[in-house]
Amino acid sequence: YFPFYERAEALGMPILFHTGIVEKCPREKMGLRLSCGPANMRPAHLAAIAAAFPDLTLIGGHLGYPWLEETAHNLYYYPNILHDLSGYRGDVGWLVASLDRKCRDGLPGTRYFSDKILFATDALCYGNDASFRDALRLMDFWELFLEMAGGNYHRWGEPEERGKILAGNARKLYSELKARGGR
């Protein structure tokens, strides 16, 4: 896939990867060259791509659940890897602990986890009212979770930090991609 990654990097185009578990797929739906198992969807696989293409933005979907430590590794070591919250509510204890763990420890270019997580719905939004309401409910869930779990005790519970996860990081990513000539 390296030629695809090279082209996306040249275009300033981010790539979203499904990371984590996946719904089971019957054999008859797999096709000749399609695999539906989670083996190739581990977040750790993004590290080699991120290292080989440092100007390519990689987004891992679903926080890579259940391989959450691999996700933490990605967020910590690779400035061009972000992860989204779509479909994730599996281990909120890990999320709280990881958000509490700051990435700024003196290493150049590292950021807090709250700077590298994107809100996403994982909902099928086809323009109908029910899908739109589902997406808004997920937004409400994450906003309330971040506020209540973060509260007054954690940096990521502050309104500015919650705002980054809920929309600010996506806006910043979009601006950075536009500045680099992305389409």
Side-chain angles (χ1 to χ4, degrees), residues 9-67:
E9 184 180 51
L11 291 170
M13 184 178 88
I15 299 179
L16 173 65
F17 292 84
H18 182 285
T19 58
I21 58 176
V22 66
E23 178 179 339
K24 67 180 181 177
C25 181
R27 184 176 182 182
E28 60 272 7
K29 289 188 178 180
M30 286 185 190
L32 294 175
R33 298 177 61 187
L34 179 64
S35 168
C36 289
N40 293 324
M41 298 176 197
R42 293 188 68 146
H45 292 298
L46 299 182
I49 301 166
F53 300 94
D55 293 325
L56 175 62
T57 300
L58 311 174
I59 302 168
H62 316 297
L63 283 179
Y65 181 80
W67 298 288

Side-chain angles (χ1 to χ4, degrees), residues 8-14 55 57 169-183:
E9 184 180 51
L11 291 170
M13 184 178 88
D55 293 325
T57 300
N169 291 338
R171 284 188 191 107
K172 183 178 178 191
L173 174 61
Y174 181 76
S175 295
E176 289 171 357
L177 293 171
K178 291 295 280 182
R180 288 194 312 219
R183 298 180 187 176

